[in-house]
Amino acid sequence: MAKTVDEIAEAMFSMVKDAFGQKKLKPMDLTKAMIELYGDEVDKKLCKEAIKQLINSGRCVYTYFGGSYIEIPHKEGAANE
Amino acid sequence: MSEEALKTPKLDELEKGKWPSFVTEIKMAAKKSPMAKDLLGQLEKSYRDKIGYWKHGGIVGVMGYGGGVIGRYSDLSKEFPNVSHFHTMRINQPAGWFYTTDSLRKICDIWEKHGSGLTNMHGSTGDIILLGTRTDELESVFSELQKIDFDIGGSGSDVRTPSCCCGMARCEWACYDTMKTCYDFTMHYQDEIHRPAFPYKFKFKFSGCPNDCVASIARADMSIIGTWRDAIQIDKNAVAEYAKSGMDIESDVVDNCPAKCMEWDGKELNIENSYCRRCMHCINAMPRALKPGKDRGATVLLGSKAPIIEGAMLSSVLIPFYKMEPPYQELKDVIERIWDIWCEEGKNRERVGEFIQRVGMGNFLDAIELEPVAEMVAHPRENPYVFYEEYYEEGDEEGEEEES
């Protein structure tokens, strides 16, 4: 049975949370991981919607460190008060 | 900031000479902007110490967007507290950089209220660059810009704000409507501009003719350059007028033709159009006499970039001629296929040109389902991509090996 956007968003959020501080994940890393995990139950379009939901809800943010990544919101080291 | 820090002997040197000086502009802004004042102080110290005192911020942005804000923090926030945060915002410029004075005033008013008041018009990306604001002002700027129909542009691993030459609005050589195409692509790829999903940046630049005034062949991952596929239009009387007024057509035009495709017998100019390389030299030299042909469109090229990971690269031909008629669906389909394979197989921070270099043009063309054609040259008279497999019978290679 095909996965829903909510389910994929939740799975992606877990990945991002678990990787925090260890590995920065790009949107395509999340998409590939979901396709590997759920096979035919997901596609790129669904993953794109799930990422959009994570960002729009504020649970995740885009960050830039030489390339763009998806992380959970946090205070970066360089930030001044 | 102390009064002593306002002495800027190093920066003052950059006000000398007859050219406009960015230092003069910042000094003017500093009269009413504390941010601009501290910027002067920090810059003077940087020049004196030969050290850049900026830190890169990677997490600042507006809600829902992944591009358009470039974070900057001062390393000297105690000494220069007003530039403690000094983020840049890239604002999507209108196609061809046309504004009303009213819209420019509104942008400036917003920036004086929420930022340093300093701008770059325009940045090398093509965007309006608003220099210096605090993290807590970003959403306010975004909201006020939206009220006047401006949006943030691209940055990071996304489609960068598409840019174009002024095309048919101001130029007689435009072979397609660059501004219309640029606007169409900007609207069509809103998601890709605001939500970075690629291995690295991807730029579109639209030039109306081979003069390539936006230098798309050197700066855009996809360079869309106007061209024509029939004969150059000649007004023979106007050619005669040029000759009569003293132009040495033989040496100034004919001898400079890279294809040697024209002849001048002292009375008449003849062009062998099948050899023409669309360099525009003759047309630029005699604008009243020569014009691009009537069957116009664009050549789509792929792969240029400035040197970061690899050295600088120029775009090379992907589609020799495309009619450039809305909604540009065949071109957008090709673009989708390019992004698919690049996102799937590209390495982090690998531009599409570098990706093609790594996997080989033949494999890349296979993946995006384009047939190789002779015009896909890397350099003049060199075509390393095309293998005419259909000329070989199965088993030919083994036969050759046996013979040798």
mmCIF file with all atom_site columns, all heavy atoms in Angstrom, chain A residues 41-65:
data_model
loop_
_atom_site.group_PDB
_atom_site.id
_atom_site.type_symbol
_atom_site.label_atom_id
_atom_site.label_alt_id
_atom_site.label_comp_id
_atom_site.label_asym_id
_atom_site.label_entity_id
_atom_site.label_seq_id
_atom_site.pdbx_PDB_ins_code
_atom_site.Cartn_x
_atom_site.Cartn_y
_atom_site.Cartn_z
_atom_site.occupancy
_atom_site.B_iso_or_equiv
_atom_site.pdbx_formal_charge
_atom_site.auth_seq_id
_atom_site.auth_comp_id
_atom_site.auth_asym_id
_atom_site.auth_atom_id
_atom_site.pdbx_PDB_model_num
ATOM 1   N N   . GLU A 1 41 ? 6.401  1.767  -2.671 1.00 0.00 ? 41 GLU A N   1
ATOM 2   C CA  . GLU A 1 41 ? 5.357  2.481  -1.917 1.00 0.00 ? 41 GLU A CA  1
ATOM 3   C C   . GLU A 1 41 ? 5.590  3.990  -1.910 1.00 0.00 ? 41 GLU A C   1
ATOM 4   O O   . GLU A 1 41 ? 4.738  4.752  -1.450 1.00 0.00 ? 41 GLU A O   1
ATOM 5   C CB  . GLU A 1 41 ? 5.310  1.968  -0.481 1.00 0.00 ? 41 GLU A CB  1
ATOM 6   C CG  . GLU A 1 41 ? 4.846  0.530  -0.363 1.00 0.00 ? 41 GLU A CG  1
ATOM 7   C CD  . GLU A 1 41 ? 4.900  0.053  1.072  1.00 0.00 ? 41 GLU A CD  1
ATOM 8   O OE1 . GLU A 1 41 ? 3.941  0.286  1.807  1.00 0.00 ? 41 GLU A OE1 1
ATOM 9   O OE2 . GLU A 1 41 ? 5.932  -0.527 1.453  1.00 0.00 ? 41 GLU A OE2 1
ATOM 10  N N   . VAL A 1 42 ? 6.762  4.427  -2.343 1.00 0.00 ? 42 VAL A N   1
ATOM 11  C CA  . VAL A 1 42 ? 7.036  5.878  -2.408 1.00 0.00 ? 42 VAL A CA  1
ATOM 12  C C   . VAL A 1 42 ? 7.610  6.227  -3.773 1.00 0.00 ? 42 VAL A C   1
ATOM 13  O O   . VAL A 1 42 ? 8.114  5.369  -4.492 1.00 0.00 ? 42 VAL A O   1
ATOM 14  C CB  . VAL A 1 42 ? 8.054  6.333  -1.327 1.00 0.00 ? 42 VAL A CB  1
ATOM 15  C CG1 . VAL A 1 42 ? 7.503  6.131  0.055  1.00 0.00 ? 42 VAL A CG1 1
ATOM 16  C CG2 . VAL A 1 42 ? 9.381  5.623  -1.494 1.00 0.00 ? 42 VAL A CG2 1
ATOM 17  N N   . ASP A 1 43 ? 7.521  7.496  -4.113 1.00 0.00 ? 43 ASP A N   1
ATOM 18  C CA  . ASP A 1 43 ? 8.221  7.980  -5.310 1.00 0.00 ? 43 ASP A CA  1
ATOM 19  C C   . ASP A 1 43 ? 8.807  9.361  -4.993 1.00 0.00 ? 43 ASP A C   1
ATOM 20  O O   . ASP A 1 43 ? 8.592  9.906  -3.901 1.00 0.00 ? 43 ASP A O   1
ATOM 21  C CB  . ASP A 1 43 ? 7.294  8.021  -6.527 1.00 0.00 ? 43 ASP A CB  1
ATOM 22  C CG  . ASP A 1 43 ? 6.072  8.893  -6.300 1.00 0.00 ? 43 ASP A CG  1
ATOM 23  O OD1 . ASP A 1 43 ? 6.101  9.751  -5.398 1.00 0.00 ? 43 ASP A OD1 1
ATOM 24  O OD2 . ASP A 1 43 ? 5.068  8.712  -7.025 1.00 0.00 ? 43 ASP A OD2 1
ATOM 25  N N   . LYS A 1 44 ? 9.544  9.906  -5.967 1.00 0.00 ? 44 LYS A N   1
ATOM 26  C CA  . LYS A 1 44 ? 10.247 11.176 -5.724 1.00 0.00 ? 44 LYS A CA  1
ATOM 27  C C   . LYS A 1 44 ? 9.268  12.310 -5.412 1.00 0.00 ? 44 LYS A C   1
ATOM 28  O O   . LYS A 1 44 ? 9.557  13.189 -4.610 1.00 0.00 ? 44 LYS A O   1
ATOM 29  C CB  . LYS A 1 44 ? 11.092 11.540 -6.941 1.00 0.00 ? 44 LYS A CB  1
ATOM 30  C CG  . LYS A 1 44 ? 12.354 10.718 -7.055 1.00 0.00 ? 44 LYS A CG  1
ATOM 31  C CD  . LYS A 1 44 ? 13.160 11.136 -8.256 1.00 0.00 ? 44 LYS A CD  1
ATOM 32  C CE  . LYS A 1 44 ? 14.378 10.255 -8.420 1.00 0.00 ? 44 LYS A CE  1
ATOM 33  N NZ  . LYS A 1 44 ? 15.091 10.505 -9.675 1.00 0.00 ? 44 LYS A NZ  1
ATOM 34  N N   . LYS A 1 45 ? 8.116  12.274 -6.078 1.00 0.00 ? 45 LYS A N   1
ATOM 35  C CA  . LYS A 1 45 ? 7.132  13.346 -5.889 1.00 0.00 ? 45 LYS A CA  1
ATOM 36  C C   . LYS A 1 45 ? 6.605  13.345 -4.452 1.00 0.00 ? 45 LYS A C   1
ATOM 37  O O   . LYS A 1 45 ? 6.471  14.397 -3.821 1.00 0.00 ? 45 LYS A O   1
ATOM 38  C CB  . LYS A 1 45 ? 5.982  13.136 -6.890 1.00 0.00 ? 45 LYS A CB  1
ATOM 39  C CG  . LYS A 1 45 ? 5.183  14.364 -7.174 1.00 0.00 ? 45 LYS A CG  1
ATOM 40  C CD  . LYS A 1 45 ? 4.135  14.083 -8.243 1.00 0.00 ? 45 LYS A CD  1
ATOM 41  C CE  . LYS A 1 45 ? 3.074  15.170 -8.197 1.00 0.00 ? 45 LYS A CE  1
ATOM 42  N NZ  . LYS A 1 45 ? 1.887  14.812 -8.941 1.00 0.00 ? 45 LYS A NZ  1
ATOM 43  N N   . LEU A 1 46 ? 6.347  12.156 -3.951 1.00 0.00 ? 46 LEU A N   1
ATOM 44  C CA  . LEU A 1 46 ? 5.850  12.035 -2.580 1.00 0.00 ? 46 LEU A CA  1
ATOM 45  C C   . LEU A 1 46 ? 6.919  12.525 -1.587 1.00 0.00 ? 46 LEU A C   1
ATOM 46  O O   . LEU A 1 46 ? 6.606  13.228 -0.609 1.00 0.00 ? 46 LEU A O   1
ATOM 47  C CB  . LEU A 1 46 ? 5.492  10.569 -2.303 1.00 0.00 ? 46 LEU A CB  1
ATOM 48  C CG  . LEU A 1 46 ? 4.757  10.270 -0.997 1.00 0.00 ? 46 LEU A CG  1
ATOM 49  C CD1 . LEU A 1 46 ? 3.333  10.798 -1.046 1.00 0.00 ? 46 LEU A CD1 1
ATOM 50  C CD2 . LEU A 1 46 ? 4.730  8.764  -0.732 1.00 0.00 ? 46 LEU A CD2 1
ATOM 51  N N   . CYS A 1 47 ? 8.155  12.158 -1.857 1.00 0.00 ? 47 CYS A N   1
ATOM 52  C CA  . CYS A 1 47 ? 9.259  12.579 -0.985 1.00 0.00 ? 47 CYS A CA  1
ATOM 53  C C   . CYS A 1 47 ? 9.398  14.102 -0.992 1.00 0.00 ? 47 CYS A C   1
ATOM 54  O O   . CYS A 1 47 ? 9.657  14.722 0.034  1.00 0.00 ? 47 CYS A O   1
ATOM 55  C CB  . CYS A 1 47 ? 10.572 11.922 -1.420 1.00 0.00 ? 47 CYS A CB  1
ATOM 56  S SG  . CYS A 1 47 ? 10.571 10.152 -1.145 1.00 0.00 ? 47 CYS A SG  1
ATOM 57  N N   . LYS A 1 48 ? 9.207  14.702 -2.171 1.00 0.00 ? 48 LYS A N   1
ATOM 58  C CA  . LYS A 1 48 ? 9.300  16.154 -2.305 1.00 0.00 ? 48 LYS A CA  1
ATOM 59  C C   . LYS A 1 48 ? 8.215  16.823 -1.444 1.00 0.00 ? 48 LYS A C   1
ATOM 60  O O   . LYS A 1 48 ? 8.479  17.796 -0.743 1.00 0.00 ? 48 LYS A O   1
ATOM 61  C CB  . LYS A 1 48 ? 9.108  16.515 -3.784 1.00 0.00 ? 48 LYS A CB  1
ATOM 62  C CG  . LYS A 1 48 ? 9.584  17.892 -4.167 1.00 0.00 ? 48 LYS A CG  1
ATOM 63  C CD  . LYS A 1 48 ? 9.476  18.058 -5.673 1.00 0.00 ? 48 LYS A CD  1
ATOM 64  C CE  . LYS A 1 48 ? 9.594  19.512 -6.082 1.00 0.00 ? 48 LYS A CE  1
ATOM 65  N NZ  . LYS A 1 48 ? 9.427  19.709 -7.508 1.00 0.00 ? 48 LYS A NZ  1
ATOM 66  N N   . GLU A 1 49 ? 7.018  16.248 -1.482 1.00 0.00 ? 49 GLU A N   1
ATOM 67  C CA  . GLU A 1 49 ? 5.913  16.786 -0.678 1.00 0.00 ? 49 GLU A CA  1
ATOM 68  C C   . GLU A 1 49 ? 6.211  16.648 0.818  1.00 0.00 ? 49 GLU A C   1
ATOM 69  O O   . GLU A 1 49 ? 5.893  17.527 1.616  1.00 0.00 ? 49 GLU A O   1
ATOM 70  C CB  . GLU A 1 49 ? 4.601  16.054 -1.023 1.00 0.00 ? 49 GLU A CB  1
ATOM 71  C CG  . GLU A 1 49 ? 4.003  16.469 -2.355 1.00 0.00 ? 49 GLU A CG  1
ATOM 72  C CD  . GLU A 1 49 ? 3.767  17.974 -2.453 1.00 0.00 ? 49 GLU A CD  1
ATOM 73  O OE1 . GLU A 1 49 ? 3.160  18.541 -1.532 1.00 0.00 ? 49 GLU A OE1 1
ATOM 74  O OE2 . GLU A 1 49 ? 4.200  18.573 -3.449 1.00 0.00 ? 49 GLU A OE2 1
ATOM 75  N N   . ALA A 1 50 ? 6.808  15.516 1.176  1.00 0.00 ? 50 ALA A N   1
ATOM 76  C CA  . ALA A 1 50 ? 7.123  15.273 2.584  1.00 0.00 ? 50 ALA A CA  1
ATOM 77  C C   . ALA A 1 50 ? 8.161  16.288 3.084  1.00 0.00 ? 50 ALA A C   1
ATOM 78  O O   . ALA A 1 50 ? 8.036  16.819 4.194  1.00 0.00 ? 50 ALA A O   1
ATOM 79  C CB  . ALA A 1 50 ? 7.642  13.848 2.762  1.00 0.00 ? 50 ALA A CB  1
ATOM 80  N N   . ILE A 1 51 ? 9.159  16.567 2.240  1.00 0.00 ? 51 ILE A N   1
ATOM 81  C CA  . ILE A 1 51 ? 10.176 17.555 2.615  1.00 0.00 ? 51 ILE A CA  1
ATOM 82  C C   . ILE A 1 51 ? 9.527  18.936 2.757  1.00 0.00 ? 51 ILE A C   1
ATOM 83  O O   . ILE A 1 51 ? 9.794  19.672 3.710  1.00 0.00 ? 51 ILE A O   1
ATOM 84  C CB  . ILE A 1 51 ? 11.327 17.576 1.574  1.00 0.00 ? 51 ILE A CB  1
ATOM 85  C CG1 . ILE A 1 51 ? 12.145 16.282 1.669  1.00 0.00 ? 51 ILE A CG1 1
ATOM 86  C CG2 . ILE A 1 51 ? 12.229 18.794 1.768  1.00 0.00 ? 51 ILE A CG2 1
ATOM 87  C CD1 . ILE A 1 51 ? 13.133 16.055 0.554  1.00 0.00 ? 51 ILE A CD1 1
ATOM 88  N N   . LYS A 1 52 ? 8.638  19.241 1.821  1.00 0.00 ? 52 LYS A N   1
ATOM 89  C CA  . LYS A 1 52 ? 7.936  20.534 1.870  1.00 0.00 ? 52 LYS A CA  1
ATOM 90  C C   . LYS A 1 52 ? 7.168  20.657 3.188  1.00 0.00 ? 52 LYS A C   1
ATOM 91  O O   . LYS A 1 52 ? 7.193  21.691 3.847  1.00 0.00 ? 52 LYS A O   1
ATOM 92  C CB  . LYS A 1 52 ? 6.978  20.626 0.667  1.00 0.00 ? 52 LYS A CB  1
ATOM 93  C CG  . LYS A 1 52 ? 6.459  22.014 0.392  1.00 0.00 ? 52 LYS A CG  1
ATOM 94  C CD  . LYS A 1 52 ? 5.480  22.027 -0.771 1.00 0.00 ? 52 LYS A CD  1
ATOM 95  C CE  . LYS A 1 52 ? 6.148  22.138 -2.103 1.00 0.00 ? 52 LYS A CE  1
ATOM 96  N NZ  . LYS A 1 52 ? 5.202  22.385 -3.208 1.00 0.00 ? 52 LYS A NZ  1
ATOM 97  N N   . GLN A 1 53 ? 6.529  19.561 3.581  1.00 0.00 ? 53 GLN A N   1
ATOM 98  C CA  . GLN A 1 53 ? 5.765  19.597 4.833  1.00 0.00 ? 53 GLN A CA  1
ATOM 99  C C   . GLN A 1 53 ? 6.676  19.818 6.048  1.00 0.00 ? 53 GLN A C   1
ATOM 100 O O   . GLN A 1 53 ? 6.366  20.603 6.939  1.00 0.00 ? 53 GLN A O   1
ATOM 101 C CB  . GLN A 1 53 ? 4.984  18.281 4.990  1.00 0.00 ? 53 GLN A CB  1
ATOM 102 C CG  . GLN A 1 53 ? 3.997  18.328 6.133  1.00 0.00 ? 53 GLN A CG  1
ATOM 103 C CD  . GLN A 1 53 ? 3.491  16.946 6.497  1.00 0.00 ? 53 GLN A CD  1
ATOM 104 O OE1 . GLN A 1 53 ? 4.049  16.274 7.360  1.00 0.00 ? 53 GLN A OE1 1
ATOM 105 N NE2 . GLN A 1 53 ? 2.436  16.505 5.840  1.00 0.00 ? 53 GLN A NE2 1
ATOM 106 N N   . LEU A 1 54 ? 7.821  19.121 6.043  1.00 0.00 ? 54 LEU A N   1
ATOM 107 C CA  . LEU A 1 54 ? 8.752  19.272 7.173  1.00 0.00 ? 54 LEU A CA  1
ATOM 108 C C   . LEU A 1 54 ? 9.259  20.707 7.291  1.00 0.00 ? 54 LEU A C   1
ATOM 109 O O   . LEU A 1 54 ? 9.401  21.244 8.384  1.00 0.00 ? 54 LEU A O   1
ATOM 110 C CB  . LEU A 1 54 ? 9.957  18.335 6.983  1.00 0.00 ? 54 LEU A CB  1
ATOM 111 C CG  . LEU A 1 54 ? 9.741  16.851 7.251  1.00 0.00 ? 54 LEU A CG  1
ATOM 112 C CD1 . LEU A 1 54 ? 10.990 16.059 6.903  1.00 0.00 ? 54 LEU A CD1 1
ATOM 113 C CD2 . LEU A 1 54 ? 9.358  16.621 8.714  1.00 0.00 ? 54 LEU A CD2 1
ATOM 114 N N   . ILE A 1 55 ? 9.541  21.313 6.144  1.00 0.00 ? 55 ILE A N   1
ATOM 115 C CA  . ILE A 1 55 ? 10.073 22.686 6.152  1.00 0.00 ? 55 ILE A CA  1
ATOM 116 C C   . ILE A 1 55 ? 8.968  23.686 6.504  1.00 0.00 ? 55 ILE A C   1
ATOM 117 O O   . ILE A 1 55 ? 9.158  24.563 7.353  1.00 0.00 ? 55 ILE A O   1
ATOM 118 C CB  . ILE A 1 55 ? 10.684 23.043 4.768  1.00 0.00 ? 55 ILE A CB  1
ATOM 119 C CG1 . ILE A 1 55 ? 11.858 22.102 4.426  1.00 0.00 ? 55 ILE A CG1 1
ATOM 120 C CG2 . ILE A 1 55 ? 11.125 24.498 4.722  1.00 0.00 ? 55 ILE A CG2 1
ATOM 121 C CD1 . ILE A 1 55 ? 13.091 22.230 5.270  1.00 0.00 ? 55 ILE A CD1 1
ATOM 122 N N   . ASN A 1 56 ? 7.818  23.544 5.884  1.00 0.00 ? 56 ASN A N   1
ATOM 123 C CA  . ASN A 1 56 ? 6.721  24.495 6.134  1.00 0.00 ? 56 ASN A CA  1
ATOM 124 C C   . ASN A 1 56 ? 6.221  24.444 7.572  1.00 0.00 ? 56 ASN A C   1
ATOM 125 O O   . ASN A 1 56 ? 5.740  25.443 8.101  1.00 0.00 ? 56 ASN A O   1
ATOM 126 C CB  . ASN A 1 56 ? 5.562  24.244 5.164  1.00 0.00 ? 56 ASN A CB  1
ATOM 127 C CG  . ASN A 1 56 ? 5.897  24.661 3.748  1.00 0.00 ? 56 ASN A CG  1
ATOM 128 O OD1 . ASN A 1 56 ? 6.923  25.289 3.505  1.00 0.00 ? 56 ASN A OD1 1
ATOM 129 N ND2 . ASN A 1 56 ? 5.052  24.315 2.802  1.00 0.00 ? 56 ASN A ND2 1
ATOM 130 N N   . SER A 1 57 ? 6.338  23.269 8.192  1.00 0.00 ? 57 SER A N   1
ATOM 131 C CA  . SER A 1 57 ? 5.873  23.154 9.576  1.00 0.00 ? 57 SER A CA  1
ATOM 132 C C   . SER A 1 57 ? 6.915  23.680 10.559 1.00 0.00 ? 57 SER A C   1
ATOM 133 O O   . SER A 1 57 ? 6.617  23.851 11.738 1.00 0.00 ? 57 SER A O   1
ATOM 134 C CB  . SER A 1 57 ? 5.571  21.688 9.897  1.00 0.00 ? 57 SER A CB  1
ATOM 135 O OG  . SER A 1 57 ? 6.785  20.949 9.864  1.00 0.00 ? 57 SER A OG  1
ATOM 136 N N   . GLY A 1 58 ? 8.137  23.904 10.071 1.00 0.00 ? 58 GLY A N   1
ATOM 137 C CA  . GLY A 1 58 ? 9.197  24.397 10.953 1.00 0.00 ? 58 GLY A CA  1
ATOM 138 C C   . GLY A 1 58 ? 9.901  23.287 11.718 1.00 0.00 ? 58 GLY A C   1
ATOM 139 O O   . GLY A 1 58 ? 10.800 23.553 12.514 1.00 0.00 ? 58 GLY A O   1
ATOM 140 N N   . ARG A 1 59 ? 9.515  22.025 11.489 1.00 0.00 ? 59 ARG A N   1
ATOM 141 C CA  . ARG A 1 59 ? 10.198 20.924 12.193 1.00 0.00 ? 59 ARG A CA  1
ATOM 142 C C   . ARG A 1 59 ? 11.623 20.765 11.676 1.00 0.00 ? 59 ARG A C   1
ATOM 143 O O   . ARG A 1 59 ? 12.503 20.331 12.399 1.00 0.00 ? 59 ARG A O   1
ATOM 144 C CB  . ARG A 1 59 ? 9.437  19.610 11.984 1.00 0.00 ? 59 ARG A CB  1
ATOM 145 C CG  . ARG A 1 59 ? 8.059  19.612 12.628 1.00 0.00 ? 59 ARG A CG  1
ATOM 146 C CD  . ARG A 1 59 ? 7.350  18.315 12.326 1.00 0.00 ? 59 ARG A CD  1
ATOM 147 N NE  . ARG A 1 59 ? 7.778  17.234 13.207 1.00 0.00 ? 59 ARG A NE  1
ATOM 148 C CZ  . ARG A 1 59 ? 7.553  15.936 12.964 1.00 0.00 ? 59 ARG A CZ  1
ATOM 149 N NH1 . ARG A 1 59 ? 6.942  15.576 11.856 1.00 0.00 ? 59 ARG A NH1 1
ATOM 150 N NH2 . ARG A 1 59 ? 7.958  15.017 13.812 1.00 0.00 ? 59 ARG A NH2 1
ATOM 151 N N   . CYS A 1 60 ? 11.833 21.082 10.420 1.00 0.00 ? 60 CYS A N   1
ATOM 152 C CA  . CYS A 1 60 ? 13.179 21.059 9.834  1.00 0.00 ? 60 CYS A CA  1
ATOM 153 C C   . CYS A 1 60 ? 13.458 22.398 9.154  1.00 0.00 ? 60 CYS A C   1
ATOM 154 O O   . CYS A 1 60 ? 12.520 23.127 8.814  1.00 0.00 ? 60 CYS A O   1
ATOM 155 C CB  . CYS A 1 60 ? 13.319 19.951 8.793  1.00 0.00 ? 60 CYS A CB  1
ATOM 156 S SG  . CYS A 1 60 ? 13.329 18.299 9.490  1.00 0.00 ? 60 CYS A SG  1
ATOM 157 N N   . VAL A 1 61 ? 14.734 22.696 8.973  1.00 0.00 ? 61 VAL A N   1
ATOM 158 C CA  . VAL A 1 61 ? 15.108 23.919 8.241  1.00 0.00 ? 61 VAL A CA  1
ATOM 159 C C   . VAL A 1 61 ? 16.171 23.568 7.201  1.00 0.00 ? 61 VAL A C   1
ATOM 160 O O   . VAL A 1 61 ? 16.883 22.573 7.348  1.00 0.00 ? 61 VAL A O   1
ATOM 161 C CB  . VAL A 1 61 ? 15.681 25.020 9.171  1.00 0.00 ? 61 VAL A CB  1
ATOM 162 C CG1 . VAL A 1 61 ? 14.602 25.623 10.038 1.00 0.00 ? 61 VAL A CG1 1
ATOM 163 C CG2 . VAL A 1 61 ? 16.845 24.498 10.005 1.00 0.00 ? 61 VAL A CG2 1
ATOM 164 N N   . TYR A 1 62 ? 16.239 24.401 6.170  1.00 0.00 ? 62 TYR A N   1
ATOM 165 C CA  . TYR A 1 62 ? 17.346 24.284 5.232  1.00 0.00 ? 62 TYR A CA  1
ATOM 166 C C   . TYR A 1 62 ? 18.564 24.974 5.840  1.00 0.00 ? 62 TYR A C   1
ATOM 167 O O   . TYR A 1 62 ? 18.430 26.038 6.446  1.00 0.00 ? 62 TYR A O   1
ATOM 168 C CB  . TYR A 1 62 ? 17.012 24.987 3.916  1.00 0.00 ? 62 TYR A CB  1
ATOM 169 C CG  . TYR A 1 62 ? 16.011 24.264 3.056  1.00 0.00 ? 62 TYR A CG  1
ATOM 170 C CD1 . TYR A 1 62 ? 14.740 24.780 2.866  1.00 0.00 ? 62 TYR A CD1 1
ATOM 171 C CD2 . TYR A 1 62 ? 16.349 23.084 2.405  1.00 0.00 ? 62 TYR A CD2 1
ATOM 172 C CE1 . TYR A 1 62 ? 13.815 24.134 2.058  1.00 0.00 ? 62 TYR A CE1 1
ATOM 173 C CE2 . TYR A 1 62 ? 15.427 22.426 1.593  1.00 0.00 ? 62 TYR A CE2 1
ATOM 174 C CZ  . TYR A 1 62 ? 14.165 22.958 1.420  1.00 0.00 ? 62 TYR A CZ  1
ATOM 175 O OH  . TYR A 1 62 ? 13.260 22.316 0.619  1.00 0.00 ? 62 TYR A OH  1
ATOM 176 N N   . THR A 1 63 ? 19.724 24.367 5.683  1.00 0.00 ? 63 THR A N   1
ATOM 177 C CA  . THR A 1 63 ? 20.953 25.033 6.118  1.00 0.00 ? 63 THR A CA  1
ATOM 178 C C   . THR A 1 63 ? 21.929 25.020 4.958  1.00 0.00 ? 63 THR A C   1
ATOM 179 O O   . THR A 1 63 ? 21.762 24.252 3.998  1.00 0.00 ? 63 THR A O   1
ATOM 180 C CB  . THR A 1 63 ? 21.596 24.301 7.321  1.00 0.00 ? 63 THR A CB  1
ATOM 181 O OG1 . THR A 1 63 ? 21.929 22.957 6.925  1.00 0.00 ? 63 THR A OG1 1
ATOM 182 C CG2 . THR A 1 63 ? 20.643 24.266 8.505  1.00 0.00 ? 63 THR A CG2 1
ATOM 183 N N   . TYR A 1 64 ? 22.919 25.884 5.029  1.00 0.00 ? 64 TYR A N   1
ATOM 184 C CA  . TYR A 1 64 ? 23.910 25.946 3.956  1.00 0.00 ? 64 TYR A CA  1
ATOM 185 C C   . TYR A 1 64 ? 25.318 25.888 4.532  1.00 0.00 ? 64 TYR A C   1
ATOM 186 O O   . TYR A 1 64 ? 25.708 26.754 5.326  1.00 0.00 ? 64 TYR A O   1
ATOM 187 C CB  . TYR A 1 64 ? 23.743 27.243 3.142  1.00 0.00 ? 64 TYR A CB  1
ATOM 188 C CG  . TYR A 1 64 ? 24.756 27.337 2.020  1.00 0.00 ? 64 TYR A CG  1
ATOM 189 C CD1 . TYR A 1 64 ? 24.528 26.701 0.802  1.00 0.00 ? 64 TYR A CD1 1
ATOM 190 C CD2 . TYR A 1 64 ? 25.962 28.017 2.187  1.00 0.00 ? 64 TYR A CD2 1
ATOM 191 C CE1 . TYR A 1 64 ? 25.465 26.742 -0.204 1.00 0.00 ? 64 TYR A CE1 1
ATOM 192 C CE2 . TYR A 1 64 ? 26.905 28.067 1.173  1.00 0.00 ? 64 TYR A CE2 1
ATOM 193 C CZ  . TYR A 1 64 ? 26.651 27.433 -0.019 1.00 0.00 ? 64 TYR A CZ  1
ATOM 194 O OH  . TYR A 1 64 ? 27.584 27.479 -1.019 1.00 0.00 ? 64 TYR A OH  1
ATOM 195 N N   . PHE A 1 65 ? 26.042 24.857 4.175  1.00 0.00 ? 65 PHE A N   1
ATOM 196 C CA  . PHE A 1 65 ? 27.457 24.772 4.543  1.00 0.00 ? 65 PHE A CA  1
ATOM 197 C C   . PHE A 1 65 ? 28.212 24.242 3.332  1.00 0.00 ? 65 PHE A C   1
ATOM 198 O O   . PHE A 1 65 ? 28.524 23.063 3.235  1.00 0.00 ? 65 PHE A O   1
ATOM 199 C CB  . PHE A 1 65 ? 27.652 23.863 5.770  1.00 0.00 ? 65 PHE A CB  1
ATOM 200 C CG  . PHE A 1 65 ? 27.028 24.438 7.006  1.00 0.00 ? 65 PHE A CG  1
ATOM 201 C CD1 . PHE A 1 65 ? 25.755 24.073 7.387  1.00 0.00 ? 65 PHE A CD1 1
ATOM 202 C CD2 . PHE A 1 65 ? 27.694 25.405 7.760  1.00 0.00 ? 65 PHE A CD2 1
ATOM 203 C CE1 . PHE A 1 65 ? 25.150 24.633 8.499  1.00 0.00 ? 65 PHE A CE1 1
ATOM 204 C CE2 . PHE A 1 65 ? 27.095 25.975 8.880  1.00 0.00 ? 65 PHE A CE2 1
ATOM 205 C CZ  . PHE A 1 65 ? 25.817 25.590 9.251  1.00 0.00 ? 65 PHE A CZ  1
#
